[in-house]
Amino acid sequence: EVTINYRHGLPVITLTLPTRRERCQFSVKPVVTTVGAFLRDVQREDKGIERAEVFATDGSKVSHATLMEVLLMNDFKLVINNTAYSVSPPVKDKLSNEHATEMEDIKCLVHRLFVALHLEDHQIKKERELLQKLDHLKEELLPLEQMKARIMDSADAKTSRLLWVGLALMSTQGGALAWLTWWVYSWDIMEPVTYFITYGSAMAFYAYFVLTRQDYIYPDAKDRQFLHYFYRKSKKQHFNVERYNKLKEDLAEAEESLRRLRHPLHLRLPIQEINDKD
């Protein structure tokens, strides 16, 4: 005979061990313990048990991953070696609404006490980890930052030289057209020349738009040329731009996490609300 009784809110399963022929009690935690764990405890208690299985009343086998809480809701059969026991779990009295509310209040109080006792230690440990991560990221970024500064200076110098060369060419063109107009030829001859030069410039600007899908605006064209020089110089000096950007993103994320950790009110706020307040 297999009996089930509740003691202090926990089910106690009593059964007879086949080898020693003595009654043995097994206390289970229905919310945590599985059927497989319960059967292993039974076999561990009596080494003479070679087979221990649980079946439902319709003959289907109950999985070892099933929780005991689910098993104890209905009748079942416990098979030990060649003996089958029909088990009828008693109906557990449901908690009253008032008792359930008190239990929830106690759980909430225990959780708040746990947070109050361990939150500070957790924050200190997390802050130490973030500081170590920040130091590590800064050490990796330092040589990359120095290399990036040198590449940016070189790209900026080349871009500035290109702008000055463009100004010099435009000045030379204007002076040449003026010299040809007033000293060599007349305006009647130079007028078509200037027209085609203007039309050619318009075609060049349109070609720039077709290739880049951007209007020819001087600041944008300067930035585009700067990036062209920057990436070409980076490739020559083996500067990994993707790795640098990834390290910068990790550094910004770690700094934001550290800022939120040091500001207790920000721990429970979404990042979007924090950014809006800032």
Side-chain angles (χ1 to χ4, degrees):
E1 182 182 3
V2 178
T3 60
I4 300 177
N5 297 313
Y6 282 89
R7 296 180 183 176
H8 307 290
L10 295 178
V12 179
I13 302 176
T14 305
L15 53 87
T16 302
L17 299 177
T19 303
R20 293 179 292 184
R21 295 295 178 181
E22 60 182 10
R23 303 284 287 175
C24 186
Q25 296 180 349
F26 297 89
S27 297
V28 297
K29 299 178 180 179
V31 182
V32 179
T33 307
T34 61
V35 173
F38 166 69
L39 296 178
R40 285 193 295 271
D41 291 340
V42 174
Q43 290 179 315
R44 192 181 300 113
E45 189 67 26
D46 190 344
K47 302 298 182 181
I49 298 177
E50 298 179 355
R51 180 191 177 197
E53 295 177 341
V54 176
F55 294 88
T57 54
D58 58 357
S60 59
K61 183 178 179 180
V62 179
S63 172
H64 285 193
T66 304
L67 292 175
M68 292 296 294
E69 182 180 21
V70 178
L71 179 66
L72 296 177
M73 290 181 179
N74 302 298
D75 297 345
F76 60 92
K77 290 182 179 180
L78 177 62
V79 178
I80 298 179
N81 289 341
N82 297 323
T83 306
Y85 301 93
S86 297
V87 184
S88 298
V91 180
K92 186 178 179 181
D93 296 335
K94 296 184 178 179
L95 296 175
S96 62
N97 293 333
E98 183 178 357
H99 190 195
T101 304
E102 292 179 357
M103 292 295 294
E104 291 296 328
D105 293 341
I106 293 174
K107 291 180 181 179
C108 182
L109 179 60
V110 171
H111 175 70
R112 293 172 62 182
L113 289 174
F114 178 82
V115 171
L117 293 175
H118 297 84
L119 181 60
E120 185 176 358
D121 295 337
H122 173 72
Q123 287 181 339
I124 294 174
K125 181 180 178 181
K126 192 67 177 178
E127 182 180 7
R128 189 180 298 111
E129 292 176 356
L130 288 174
L131 290 175
Q132 292 177 355
K133 183 178 180 181
L134 285 174
D135 294 338
H136 179 68
L137 290 173
K138 289 179 180 179
E139 288 179 1
E140 291 189 30
L141 277 171
L142 182 59
L144 296 178
E145 291 283 5
Q146 295 174 352
M147 185 180 295
K148 179 192 172 187
R150 292 194 299 267
I151 296 174
M152 289 185 65
D153 292 340
S154 176
D156 186 67
K158 287 185 177 181
T159 305
S160 299
R161 283 198 299 268
L162 182 63
L163 293 177
W164 284 107
V165 169
L167 179 61
L169 291 176
M170 292 181 65
S171 301
T172 303
Q173 183 187 46
L177 291 176
W179 178 69
L180 292 174
T181 301
W182 281 297
W183 281 277
V184 181
Y185 305 109
S186 63
W187 176 247
D188 294 336
I189 297 175
M190 295 302 301
E191 183 178 9
V193 176
T194 56
Y195 170 78
F196 283 108
I197 291 176
T198 304
Y199 185 75
S201 300
M203 289 181 61
F205 295 151
Y206 183 76
Y208 177 87
F209 171 77
V210 171
L211 294 175
T212 63
R213 295 294 188 269
Q214 295 179 353
D215 293 333
Y216 188 80
I217 302 175
Y218 292 117
D220 294 344
K222 176 181 178 295
D223 294 339
R224 184 180 182 85
Q225 193 62 37
F226 172 82
L227 291 176
H228 172 71
Y229 287 138
F230 178 82
Y231 280 99
R232 190 170 68 178
K233 190 74 172 179
S234 300
K235 187 176 181 180
K236 288 183 179 180
Q237 296 191 6
H238 304 287
F239 177 74
N240 194 336
V241 180
E242 294 181 357
R243 179 170 177 269
Y244 173 80
N245 292 333
K246 181 64 169 57
L247 291 175
K248 291 291 287 185
E249 292 176 359
D250 294 342
L251 181 64
E253 182 179 354
E255 290 177 346
E256 177 64 22
S257 299
L258 183 62
R259 187 170 70 90
R260 296 187 66 188
L261 185 66
R262 289 176 173 175
H263 200 312
L265 295 179
H266 286 179
L267 288 175
R268 300 180 181 273
L269 293 180
I271 296 179
Q272 183 63 35
E273 295 187 13
I274 297 175
N275 295 333
D276 294 341
K277 290 183 178 182
D278 294 342

